Amino acid sequence: MKSDNLGAIILAAGKGTRMFSKHPKVLHPIAGYPMAAYPLKLTRKLGCTKTVMVVGHEADLVKDVFSDSGVEFVHQHEQLGTGHAVQVAWEGLQKFSGTVLLLCADVPLLQRETLEKMIETHQSANACVSVLTAEVENPYGYGRIVRDNGKIVSIVEEKDASTEQKKITEINTGIFALQAPTVAPLLQQLDNNNAQQEYYITDIISLATREGLSVSSAVLADVAESMGVNDRAQLASACSQMRTRINRAHMLAGVSMEDPASTYIDADVCIEADTYIQAGVHLHGTTHIEADCIIESGTVISDSHIGARCFIRSGSNIEGSTLEQQCNVGPMAHLRPGTHLRGFNKIGNFVETKKADIGLRSQASHLSYIGDAELGEDVNIGCGTITCNYDGVNKHKTTIEDNVFVGSDTQFVAPLTIGRNSLIGAGSTITKDVPPDSLALSRAEQKIVPGWRKKRKK
Ligand code: UD1
Ligand code: CA
């Protein structure tokens, strides 16, 4: 396959009427990425030197999302059909002399190997145009592949097809390989004399045949790959098939899953072998989980690094955090962005952390808020402790040095530094720095009035 001269067009201008959405269809997410990111990823894997994305409906939103991807955008102001879209795209391919792949932004399940095979066939046949077809049980709605003595001669759209043609079960997937120099003049000849009064790219086949140019085709081995997403039911189905694919790859690489059907992992998440993931777990974005972890049900982890042998108990939510080895988190802990557990930590139930750097072996086992804080090693945070980091205007930092023992129900009114080895008595509101090795206590002394209840009743 000659990839040095491979270009691509991604059609992404359509409105996606059947989605009933205020967002462009091609931006609806599948496994954490907008739908159109998948064909785009393929063009990169195949080494395309030039990729043109045709945008139209909500073009600015689409351009925004892919602005750093290296694609070139062309604007199709009016959506006059797929053929018109390719004509518009050609503005960006004027001087291109190689093979141009035509991909649709709403066909996210297509695999690299399929395209490689198709390009191979296309180039070795020296074809003007090649089309990827599929044999389906129910061809309704698709363009039908019309053959004469086995040779493909045209594609007929559902709305233009005769009763006989409607019986054809070989369909157009919408994926083409085009030989740029020979296709260019044919593009000029497309017209809209059809039932939908649209310019069809599919007419390129009959035009090429008429000119005596070579047309080739490749049949898709796995029909599921060609599935187009036109409505929310198809979106859910595409998500589910993508999930099956992603989870299977993780399992084959040594990750155990209690129930892959209910495990939701974004496309670029990395998980190392012998990690065990229970049902109902969501792993998003750039998350990386090292080996031998256990992730219990209902946990959601986004853009975080989880070190080896961590145990994340049920219902925990971890975002933008780094956990080093052997941390024990949850159930129902909330680790917000900027949390860094240095290793062997315990963050127990109903503990919330944010911008918190927590030293080796330090723990907060129950019901605490630790925000804008730096904790040394071997610190024990008692139940119900709060860092009061916000004065209504600014955020302030709490520093707690090594070996500090914090009694339950303590409030640290930041900014504060608690020196190493100190002990904070339970129920204290700490407003001043505490020097090392001290006891700090700030609660009213307990008073006892003997026999008070009995006297009151009288
Ligand atoms: C198209 C094919 C059909 C094929 C099917 C496969 C044509 C005429 N028909 O039909 O043979 O079986 O795909 O899924 O090509 N788009 C634009 N600009 C336009 C029109 C469409 O960018 O003016 C984009 C859409 O955003 C979409 C793609 O082209 O990504 C396909 O368009 P769509 O209207 O969905 O075509 P189908 O009717 O599905
Ligand atoms: Ca479609």
Side-chain angles (χ1 to χ4, degrees):
M1 194 183 74
K2 289 174 273 169
S3 69
D4 53 326
N5 219 358
L6 189 63
I9 297 171
I10 300 175
L11 300 185
K15 185 160 190 280
T17 315
R18 286 165 281 176
M19 294 293 280
F20 296 99
S21 175
K22 58 183 167 300
H23 310 293
K25 175 171 82 173
V26 299
L27 295 186
H28 279 260
I30 294 176
Y33 293 88
M35 210 184 295
Y38 292 94
L40 197 58
K41 231 186 241 186
L42 286 176
T43 64
R44 264 190 233 123
K45 285 188 192 164
L46 292 166
C48 290
T49 50
K50 193 177 184 70
T51 299
V52 177
M53 187 181 275
V54 184
V55 292
H57 179 70
E58 296 282 16
D60 289 342
L61 286 177
V62 180
K63 279 159 89 173
D64 238 29
V65 170
F66 298 107
S67 57
D68 294 334
S69 66
V71 298
E72 216 172 280
F73 299 100
V74 297
H75 208 285
Q76 187 193 21
H77 295 280
E78 260 185 298
Q79 281 76 62
L80 303 179
T82 51
H84 179 250
V86 176
Q87 286 172 343
V88 173
W90 220 260
E91 288 164 19
L93 289 157
Q94 291 295 352
K95 297 198 186 84
F96 201 79
S97 61
T99 301
V100 176
L101 268 181
L102 178 59
L103 304 173
C104 292
D106 63 351
V107 180
L109 295 169
L110 201 65
Q111 302 261 43
R112 168 199 188 149
E113 295 72 25
T114 303
L115 289 177
E116 278 172 347
K117 265 189 229 151
M118 183 195 181
I119 296 164
E120 191 74 56
T121 314
H122 173 77
Q123 291 180 343
S124 59
N126 195 24
C128 162
V129 44
S130 300
V131 56
L132 185 67
T133 74
E135 273 294 344
V136 297
E137 263 171 43
N138 176 13
Y140 179 80
Y142 287 102
R144 309 297 207 284
I145 304 295
V146 181
R147 290 179 184 269
D148 185 19
N149 281 324
K151 269 188 75 180
I152 174 165
V153 290
S154 66
I155 298 176
V156 186
E157 290 305 297
E158 174 79 33
K159 288 184 177 140
D160 301 289
S162 66
T163 319
E164 271 313 296
Q165 287 169 331
K166 281 183 184 161
K167 289 179 190 153
I168 299 171
T169 51
E170 186 184 8
I171 58 106
N172 167 29
T173 63
I175 312 301
F176 293 82
L178 310 169
Q179 191 176 58
T182 49
V183 156
L186 300 183
L187 286 176
Q188 306 305 317
Q189 300 176 41
L190 294 174
D191 63 39
N192 64 352
N193 298 328
N194 52 55
Q196 303 186 81
Q197 296 192 318
E198 279 182 11
Y199 295 87
Y200 294 163
I201 189 57
T202 45
D203 286 347
I204 204 88
I205 301 282
S206 48
L207 286 172
T209 308
R210 201 188 302 155
E211 303 268 324
L213 295 163
S214 143
V215 172
S216 86
S217 64
V219 184
L220 192 57
D222 175 10
V223 180
E225 277 185 45
S226 69
M227 181 201 175
V229 176
N230 297 307
D231 58 36
R232 307 253 185 175
Q234 287 170 328
L235 176 65
S237 165
C239 288
S240 146
Q241 290 181 62
M242 191 67 83
R243 187 155 68 239
T244 303
R245 207 184 266 179
I246 291 170
N247 291 354
R248 187 178 154 75
H250 285 299
M251 290 187 286
L252 295 183
V255 176
S256 280
M257 291 184 192
E258 180 180 38
D259 180 22
S262 70
T263 303
Y264 305 82
I265 303 177
D266 284 357
D268 288 340
V269 168
C270 176
I271 312 172
E272 295 181 25
D274 285 318
T275 279
Y276 173 60
I277 298 176
Q278 289 190 350
V281 165
H282 293 241
L283 305 176
H284 298 304
T286 58
T287 295
H288 181 141
I289 300 180
E290 290 189 32
D292 303 303
C293 293
I294 298 173
I295 316 292
E296 283 191 345
S297 289
T299 290
V300 180
I301 304 178
S302 313
D303 304 318
S304 296
H305 189 105
I306 312 291
R309 294 183 294 288
C310 282
F311 183 18
I312 313 297
R313 306 224 254 167
S314 58
S316 295
N317 189 319
I318 302 177
E319 325 155 58
S321 298
T322 301
L323 281 60
E324 297 191 32
Q325 61 171 315
Q326 297 195 51
C327 292
N328 190 328
V329 170
M332 269 137 338
H334 189 185
L335 274 47
R336 292 169 50 207
T339 297
H340 189 160
L341 308 184
R342 297 279 170 172
F344 305 94
N345 304 97
K346 181 173 183 222
I347 300 295
N349 41 206
F350 309 108
V351 173
E352 176 180 341
T353 62
K354 184 217 75 174
K355 271 196 196 160
D357 189 335
I358 299 182
L360 278 170
R361 295 174 300 275
S362 291
Q363 47 183 311
S365 299
H366 344 259
L367 295 157
S368 288
Y369 172 64
I370 305 169
D372 300 297
E374 188 178 332
L375 275 57
E377 298 177 0
D378 300 295
V379 170
N380 183 77
I381 300 287
C383 176
T385 294
I386 296 167
T387 54
C388 310
N389 57 331
Y390 187 49
D391 60 14
V393 183
N394 294 308
K395 298 276 170 71
H396 301 283
K397 186 173 170 184
T398 302
T399 302
I400 302 176
E401 295 178 353
D402 295 350
N403 269 307
V404 168
F405 184 94
V406 179
S408 297
D409 191 28
T410 293
Q411 298 96 51
F412 290 111
V413 182
L416 271 183
T417 297
I418 312 300
R420 64 194 309 279
N421 258 325
S422 290
L423 189 147
I424 311 294
S428 293
T429 301
I430 303 296
T431 53
K432 292 185 217 120
D433 286 354
V434 176
D437 302 304
S438 359
L439 165 69
L441 200 58
S442 79
R443 56 185 185 223
E445 222 165 298
Q446 183 171 319
K447 217 193 264 178
I448 295 187
V449 182
W452 184 84
R453 275 303 280 287
K454 277 186 187 160
K455 277 184 228 157
R456 203 175 95 156
K457 272 176 194 154
K458 280 175 201 160

